[in-house]
Every structure is written in C-alpha cells, then in structure tokens.
Amino acid sequence: MKEQPNAVQNAKKLLQEYQNQCLKNNNPEVLYNHIIHSSRVEQILNYTANISGKVLDIGCFDGFITEKILKQGNKEVIGMDRWEEAMELTRSKGIETVWGDMDNPQIPFADNYFDCVVAADVFNSIFDPDAVMEEVTRILKPQGKLIITVPNLASSGNRLLMLLGFAPYNLQVRARTGAGHLRLFTFRTLKKLLLDYNFTVQKMTSTVVIFPFFRLRPNIPEYRQPRIFFSKFLARLFPKLGESIVVIAENKKNQI
C-alpha cells in the first residue's frame, strides 16, 4: 500500500508557500501602513508601551512589529517564526530570533521567562490553539501579559457573507486549495480560550469596520480592495463588528 503524505505537513507547506509569496510580492511599508493593518499595529503598540522586560513575538514574520516594540525601549525583544526567509528579514533589523513551529509547540525557553508574549495573527494559522496556550502559559511569568490579534469571524463583512450563503472571508475549508485561516474566533470564543488557561482579560477591542463589507475584486489582496471607508470610530462603538480582535490578558497562574 502506497504511503499517504502527512496531511498536516502538506497544509503547512501550503501555508509556507503563501507566506513566502507575501514576502516577495508585498512592500512591508505599504502593507503595514494600510489602515487594515496599521490600526492593528497601533493597538498592539499601545498595549506594549508600558511593558518592560523580556518580550517574545511569536510569528514575528518580517519583524515589522517586533522592531517597533523594541524601539519603545525598556525591553529585550526576541522574534520567533518557522520560516527562515522571514527570520532573515527580522535579523536584518538587529533583532534576536529563534526558530519555532507553533504546530509543534515547544518554545525553547525556560518556565516563567517572559514578561510579555505577542501573537499577532498567529492563532488563526495554527492547528492546536490549546497546545500553544499551554506553552505560552509555561514561559510567561505570573502576571505576565499576553497580546493576541486574530481576524474576527463575526465582523460586519463576514456576517453579510454568511447571510448571503457565502463562507467567511479567507476561511480555509480545504487545506489543498489555498492557505487561508485555519481558525476563526469571535470575542466570546477567544475570551473562553484565555479564561480556560487562567488568564484575566484586561482589554478587548477591534480595529476597523469596513464598507463595502465584502471584497469587490476577489483576486487581489484585501488591503488593496476598493473601499468607501474604513471606520475606527464605528469599531469603537460596535467592536464586535470590527475586522480584527485585539486583546491583552494577564497570566494569573500561581496567584491565590
């Protein structure tokens, strides 16, 4: 009987090819300066501004956010990723990096090592969020901070798409047909994941509400889609309709 390829390895290979294409085809300054991403980065940096000590940026990609966190000062910042091409870009910015595959989560640091862990758009691309949370909890100090961003399953656009009978934007239903999101969260499900690992949610926000709500030109990246407006104000009024969820939580392990 012919040996079947490992399905997880195949899916990871597709994700790697997709990420490599992102690195080759996009100017990071253009990508991250678009309001879809800049609003997410802005909130991450607001959360990290008053944090000092050791910070691990899981899924650091090209190091754009990692570098900005480092420049805030009072921090020792390390980037971690599973794609060598991305880590080379991070290292070129003078940032220490370590290799780590969050689908085989064994973060190479001691218990209670970090004061903060950042996971920006990571949990939507992993197979086992619980395994990752176990490792994050282990390496975080008591009262250490965890900052997570994920695409919002219940965003205004996804609600409209599902109402019309379409799948949520970029949901990866079949591993062999692309490299979209493997996990999609709502405010409620992300909070439940954090509470299950003894984290206290300190603040939970979203980024922008977008109109038109759905993609007009499906063959170009989301941040290049023609839109009428992007509203941070509406995201503050109706956070559960925003494109991305941004949360900061505190590790309560060993606390009575």
Side-chain angles (χ1 to χ4, degrees), residues 88-105:
E88 286 178 5
L89 292 174
T90 303
R91 285 193 292 269
S92 72
K93 297 177 172 69
I95 299 166
E96 181 183 351
T97 64
V98 294
W99 186 90
D101 184 353
M102 296 314 297
D103 286 322
N104 183 23

Side-chain angles (χ1 to χ4, degrees), residues 22-40:
C22 285
L23 284 171
K24 293 176 182 178
N25 298 335
N26 293 301
N27 181 332
E29 292 298 327
V30 175
L31 175 68
Y32 287 107
N33 283 329
H34 192 282
I35 191 170
I36 288 178
H37 296 290
S38 66
S39 56
R40 182 171 60 92

Side-chain angles (χ1 to χ4, degrees), residues 215-227:
R215 294 181 297 163
L216 300 177
R217 298 169 63 187
N219 294 324
I220 67 174
E222 178 72 8
Y223 70 95
R224 293 179 181 169
Q225 294 288 332
R227 303 292 193 182

